Amino acid sequence: EPTVRTELMEQIPPIAIFLQESQPKFPTAFFEYLMPIVVRYLTDINNQVRKASQEALLILLEQDLVAQSDIENKVCPILLDLSAPDSDDEYKVEAVNIICKMASMLSRTTVEHMLLPRFCELCSDGKLFQVRKICAANFGDICNAVGQEATERLLIPKFFELCSDSVWGMRKACAECFMAVSYTTSPEVRRSKLSPLFISLISDTCRWVRQAAFQSLGPFISTFANPSSAGLYIREDGTLSIRPSAQDVNSNSCQPSNNITLMSSSANAA
């Protein structure tokens, strides 16, 4: 009965936390019994069961309860199978979504070696625009997960493709995540490659793309500033913030000293 399997999935995270806290009594229970169930239900025939399994997996990863060996040998292979070119459309959309969400919770090595090649393939998926849309909306998060070298070598060419996609929603998603992508690149790439690309989005034929680009203009410009002198930094929630200077903090001005926050691409895309 699917509802039973769904309910079971919702109970996995609290059970896993209990087992972690009682590890001396149950040293291998989670890895031997619960983790295989979560992985198996990622391919369940019922979409509600799959959704519950995906949510459980993200919670387990966020709580750092999944062993690195299980991530590399059980979770990633299943997601790679589900996102393969010949996979069912519904499974593929779900797989790329979970890949994007879990990227920030995994080590850089795991993401770059196991998930990044498939993500690059999915950015060029000619069959499903939904897959490309998810890739575009989460592009900044993937760049942040793999770092500057992999971003400039592998991801920037794919970003150019998405920014010129025939579907305007793709270009709009790229405009919304532009700041996060720019923040991960070197000043030279930012100046020579991303600036002309951004101008093309501001000049796009679709007004929704142009509007999104203009909304990202300020955050994009801010990535050209020296972080050490400007005090700019990216929060964990994907927002660009400005640290108040010591002079501002110590001044007796009636102006509030709260951080100024600008929404980044990934936050807008969410």
Side-chain angles (χ1 to χ4, degrees):
E1 176 60 45
T3 55
V4 176
R5 301 198 298 277
T6 301
E7 288 291 339
L8 172 62
M9 278 297 97
E10 293 175 355
Q11 298 304 315
I12 293 289
I15 295 174
I17 293 173
F18 168 76
L19 293 175
Q20 177 71 9
E21 295 172 347
S22 311
Q23 197 169 29
K25 298 179 181 178
F26 311 101
T28 61
F30 172 72
F31 306 107
E32 289 185 6
Y33 299 105
L34 299 188
M35 196 59 204
I37 298 175
V38 175
V39 173
R40 186 170 75 246
Y41 282 6
L42 289 173
T43 60
D44 196 274
I45 58 173
N46 184 275
N47 65 338
Q48 290 301 316
V49 176
R50 294 198 305 275
K51 182 178 179 181
S53 178
Q54 294 160 11
E55 292 174 352
L57 175 62
L58 291 175
I59 294 174
L60 296 173
L61 290 170
E62 188 177 14
Q63 297 293 325
D64 199 22
L65 295 174
V66 185
Q68 184 68 25
S69 59
D70 280 342
I71 294 173
E72 295 181 357
N73 300 323
K74 296 179 181 178
V75 177
C76 287
I78 285 290
L79 294 175
L80 292 177
D81 286 343
L82 293 175
S83 59
D86 58 349
S87 177
D88 178 83
D89 291 351
E90 186 175 1
Y91 284 79
K92 183 186 290 187
V93 171
E94 293 175 359
V96 65
N97 192 45
I98 198 77
I99 286 173
C100 292
K101 287 182 178 179
M102 65 187 281
S104 62
M105 306 178 196
L106 306 181
S107 69
R108 177 170 295 184
T109 301
T110 299
V111 177
E112 185 171 352
H113 292 165
M114 300 199 71
L115 300 179
L116 184 57
R118 178 53 50 82
F119 178 82
C120 290
E121 292 176 11
L122 294 168
C123 287
S124 303
D125 190 295
K127 183 181 179 183
L128 290 172
F129 82 90
Q130 295 95 331
V131 169
R132 302 198 308 278
K133 179 72 177 292
I134 294 172
C135 291
N138 293 277
F139 210 92
D141 294 330
I142 299 297
C143 290
N144 185 58
V146 300
Q148 179 180 321
E149 193 276 331
T151 293
E152 295 182 355
R153 178 169 51 90
L154 298 171
L155 289 174
I156 291 300
K158 295 298 177 182
F159 193 58
F160 268 74
E161 290 181 16
L162 291 170
C163 284
S164 59
D165 197 279
S166 59
V167 180
W168 68 264
M170 225 70 62
R171 305 194 301 276
K172 178 176 179 289
C174 289
E176 291 170 343
C177 74
F178 215 94
M179 185 274 288
V181 175
S182 176
Y183 193 81
T184 316
T185 63
S186 66
E188 175 58 26
V189 169
R190 202 172 293 143
R191 181 190 64 80
S192 63
K193 294 184 178 181
L194 293 185
S195 292
L197 183 62
F198 191 81
I199 291 174
S200 71
L201 292 175
I202 280 185
S203 309
D204 197 273
T205 55
C206 175
R207 71 185 183 95
W208 299 112
V209 177
R210 295 197 303 272
Q211 181 179 348
F214 275 112
Q215 288 176 343
S216 296
L217 178 58
F220 175 51
I221 291 174
S222 71
T223 62
F224 287 83
N226 186 333
S228 60
S229 59
L232 298 172
Y233 70 104
I234 301 291
R235 290 178 174 177
E236 291 183 358
D237 61 359
T239 57
L240 176 70
S241 293
I242 305 175
R243 291 190 180 92
S245 65
Q247 182 178 357
D248 293 337
V249 172
N250 296 328
S251 73
N252 294 323
S253 171
C254 63
Q255 296 294 329
S257 60
N258 293 336
N259 282 4
I260 301 170
T261 301
L262 300 171
M263 296 306 292
S264 83
S265 57
S266 53
N268 288 336

